[in-house]
Amino acid sequence: MTPDWYAVTGRIFDIQKFSLHDGPGIRTIVFLKGCYLRCKWCCNPESQEYHIQEMTLGGKTRTVGRDVTVEEVMAEVRKDRTYYRRSHGGLTLSGGESLAQPAFAQALLAAAKEEGFDTAMESTACAPYEHITPLLPYLDHYLLDIKHMDSHKHMAFTTQPNEQILANARRLAVEAKELIIRVPVIPTFNDSPEEIRAIAEFAASLPNVRELHLLPYHRLGQDKYAGLGRTYTLPDIMPPSDEHMQALRKVAAETGLRVQIGG
């Protein structure tokens, strides 16, 4: 019996259209609520908690989070079918961490594939692998964050160690249709040539991995912390310069990977 993917319910906090940086072509991004990490630089702090919240920005308070069915989401995704066809784009799941809602994520991806859309997911892979396996038949591009090779530093900046993430990356390199490694480049955390080289060497050691994306830190989400009644704990760091990012790109490319700046 075919599952009724369209009746499955999950919790999202945004749907963003016409994205060009979250998978190939023009994408619609669905942002799911909930995450296992608490990265100090997170630009979507409203994604971290699963529960519905209120956030105040510019003097206006809005509700963050709503429960929707897969059909409600797909009704929005379908509107841009023409753009996907022309650009080889499609649907991308983001968050938060989609693996925190594995049944909903699977249903979204399955419905998208049923309707002929390309699919991608931005993910930390910080979850049991049994949450990942059911998604893989419906997932064209796994965009996996590798933030640091040192587990202690990873925990200090994200609240979680990295052993599970790295173990899952090794399996995904074999089992996913396409695995692309992405690195958020964060000053004071992982922006030295040595740290980027270590991540790139790990990525290059994975079978079937050909691409590495370096994502420069930005401060666009900083005001959200105050809007949620939280304190942003990296207030003094600045985005890396173009020159520094190019130098890191060169270091990473020495591993033989195709390396680009940005998603």
Side-chain angles (χ1 to χ4, degrees):
M1 180 178 178
T2 303
D4 185 3
W5 302 119
Y6 294 87
V8 177
T9 300
R11 184 165 293 173
I12 67 173
F13 68 95
D14 198 12
I15 297 177
Q16 177 181 311
K17 298 194 172 192
F18 301 106
S19 173
L20 298 173
H21 305 290
D22 304 275
I26 295 172
R27 318 290 299 184
T28 294
I29 310 176
V30 180
F31 292 88
L32 278 64
K33 266 281 215 170
C35 189
Y36 299 117
L37 303 182
R38 294 294 182 270
C39 300
K40 290 187 175 185
W41 62 88
C42 180
C43 63
N44 289 325
E46 73 273 32
S47 74
Q48 294 176 351
E49 300 293 342
Y50 177 74
H51 66 265
I52 295 172
Q53 300 166 283
E54 289 192 341
M55 182 170 65
T56 302
L57 290 175
K60 296 181 179 180
T61 299
R62 66 180 179 91
T63 300
V64 180
R66 59 190 175 101
D67 293 331
V68 294
T69 63
V70 168
E71 172 54 36
E72 289 176 284
V73 174
M74 292 306 300
E76 289 299 314
V77 173
R78 292 185 200 111
K79 292 177 181 179
D80 296 320
R81 183 188 301 271
T82 300
Y83 298 106
Y84 310 146
R85 186 181 300 117
R86 291 176 179 174
S87 68
H88 305 289
L91 170 70
T92 297
L93 303 187
S94 189
E97 170 54 70
S98 300
L99 298 175
Q101 297 186 59
F104 184 50
Q106 180 189 15
L108 284 169
L109 294 170
K113 293 309 295 179
E114 194 169 285
E115 298 190 29
F117 299 137
D118 185 86
T119 59
M121 183 173 72
E122 300 173 322
S123 170
T124 67
C126 185
Y129 200 81
E130 55 263 32
H131 290 180
I132 298 174
T133 300
L135 279 61
L136 296 181
Y138 312 107
L139 185 59
D140 295 313
H141 317 281
Y142 202 121
L143 311 177
L144 172 59
D145 270 17
I146 299 291
K147 305 176 195 296
H148 212 288
M149 294 306 296
D150 183 284
S151 189
H152 293 290
K153 195 167 187 181
H154 193 280
M155 176 174 278
F157 277 74
T158 74
T159 74
Q160 297 295 326
N162 69 357
E163 284 84 2
Q164 183 181 53
I165 294 168
L166 299 182
N168 286 345
R170 293 184 181 97
R171 290 189 64 176
L172 283 165
V174 175
E175 298 177 14
K177 294 177 185 176
E178 181 182 46
L179 179 64
I180 296 174
I181 304 301
R182 311 210 308 175
V183 185
V185 178
I186 313 299
T188 74
F189 172 56
N190 67 354
D191 70 327
S192 72
E194 294 76 17
E195 289 165 314
I196 294 300
R197 181 180 292 109
I199 297 172
E201 288 176 348
F202 172 77
S205 75
L206 300 174
N208 306 314
V209 171
R210 302 289 179 264
E211 289 187 46
L212 181 75
H213 299 173
L214 301 178
L215 311 180
Y217 166 77
H218 61 75
R219 306 177 72 175
L220 298 180
Q222 189 169 339
D223 292 344
K224 295 179 181 179
Y225 287 80
L228 292 167
R230 295 174 55 185
T231 299
Y232 187 67
T233 59
L234 299 175
D236 299 323
I237 68 171
M238 299 296 293
S241 67
D242 291 342
E243 293 78 11
H244 187 56
M245 290 301 303
Q246 289 296 339
L248 296 178
R249 188 201 64 77
K250 183 177 180 180
V251 165
E254 290 172 356
T255 63
L257 294 170
R258 295 195 299 271
V259 182
Q260 68 183 51
I261 297 172

